[in-house]
């Protein structure tokens, strides 16, 4: 089987949400690194087709293993069977550009706000406008983060951003936290 050239790289037939690619590059790189580490099931620094399929299944985004295998082969470095982090980043960028287009400068701010709102809604499972400790714990658990195993750890995470001390994170606190992450990343 021939590996497609850069112009012929196959497209994934999953329609991502607009937040597939956040517009803040430093936050996006941090997020992608965490996702890469979660998807790299055996921690060898490479995501295989099987690992990527398993991760997508856990997220409820099951995809055709043959299709995923073709994508992995098209983006894997020469001589490797899986994706290292730069290749994973390249695949993410290619899928985002193909499916979402490249944002114009004037659109970036509005899209960043929409990304924040959508990310907040992922955590705010009951839609009440607040992220409770149980909601945060549930989402962290679904994503496989060890922080989600301890309710005490989750409470501590909330307290670190809860400016009004109500025990929950509202959208304003969430935005401040996310912007703080973007600022705290070296090279941002």
């Amino acid at each position: 089987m021939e590996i497609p050239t850069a112009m012929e790289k196959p497209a994934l037939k999953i329609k991502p949400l607009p937040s597939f690619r956040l517009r803040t590059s430093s936050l996006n790189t941090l997020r992608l690194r965490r996702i890469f580490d979660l998807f790299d099931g055996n921690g060898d620094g490479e995501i295989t087709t099987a690992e990527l399929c398993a991760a997508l299944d856990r997220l409820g985004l099951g995809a055709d293993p043959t299709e995923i295998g073709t994508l992995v082969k098209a983006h894997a470095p020469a001589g490797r069977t899986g994706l290292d982090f730069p290749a994973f980043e390249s695949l993410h960028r290619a899928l985002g550009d193909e499916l979402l287009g490249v944002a114009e400068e004037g659109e970036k701010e509005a899209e960043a706000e929409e990304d924040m709102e959508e990310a907040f809604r992922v955590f705010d499972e009951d839609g009440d406008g607040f992220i409770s400790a149980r909601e945060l714990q549930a989402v962290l658990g679904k994503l496989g983060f060890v922080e989600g195993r301890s309710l005490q750890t989750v409470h501590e995470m909330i307290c670190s951003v809860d400016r009004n001390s109500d025990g929950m994170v509202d959208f304003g606190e969430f935005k401040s936290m996310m912007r703080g992450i973007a600022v705290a990343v070296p090279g941002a």
Side-chain angles (χ1 to χ4, degrees):
M1 177 178 178
E2 277 187 61
I3 296 176
T5 65
M7 299 291 264
E8 301 169 333
K9 286 187 180 178
L12 188 60
K13 293 177 184 158
I14 294 175
K15 184 176 182 197
L17 297 172
S19 65
F20 178 75
R21 177 182 56 216
L22 295 176
R23 303 299 182 214
T24 307
S25 62
S26 59
L27 180 57
N28 200 34
T29 300
L30 176 67
R31 179 185 67 134
L32 277 178
R33 185 70 220 193
R34 292 192 81 174
I35 291 169
F36 179 87
D37 291 342
L38 285 171
F39 285 12
D40 181 15
N42 62 3
D44 67 353
E46 183 174 278
I47 298 175
T48 63
T49 299
E51 288 171 325
L52 188 53
C53 286
L56 291 172
D57 284 343
R58 281 194 310 270
L59 293 170
L61 301 172
D64 177 22
T66 304
E67 188 179 326
I68 297 297
T70 302
L71 280 170
V72 168
K73 285 178 186 171
H75 288 272
R80 303 210 36 199
T81 58
L83 304 170
D84 59 8
F85 183 67
F88 182 70
E89 221 175 3
S90 171
L91 171 62
H92 181 266
R93 189 173 35 260
L95 289 173
D97 289 347
E98 180 178 328
L99 297 170
L100 302 173
V102 178
E104 296 293 324
E105 194 62 39
E107 298 173 338
K108 288 183 180 184
E109 197 170 308
E111 288 177 354
E113 183 74 12
E114 288 174 22
D115 288 344
M116 288 279 193
E117 290 170 0
E118 187 173 331
F120 183 80
R121 285 191 299 271
V122 168
F123 287 91
D124 181 18
E125 292 183 323
D126 64 7
D128 67 353
F130 299 95
I131 301 170
S132 69
R134 291 276 179 210
E135 288 171 320
L136 180 57
Q137 184 179 33
V139 173
L140 291 174
K142 286 176 190 174
L143 294 174
F145 288 102
V146 295
E147 294 89 345
R149 295 183 188 152
S150 163
L151 191 56
Q152 177 62 35
T153 301
V154 171
H155 279 291
E156 290 170 8
M157 291 170 72
I158 286 179
C159 287
S160 71
V161 297
D162 183 16
R163 293 181 305 214
N164 62 3
S165 301
D166 64 356
M168 296 186 286
V169 177
D170 62 34
F171 183 63
E173 293 164 338
F174 181 80
K175 279 186 1 181
S176 294
M177 175 192 69
M178 296 305 281
R179 287 184 178 135
I181 290 171
V183 170
V185 175

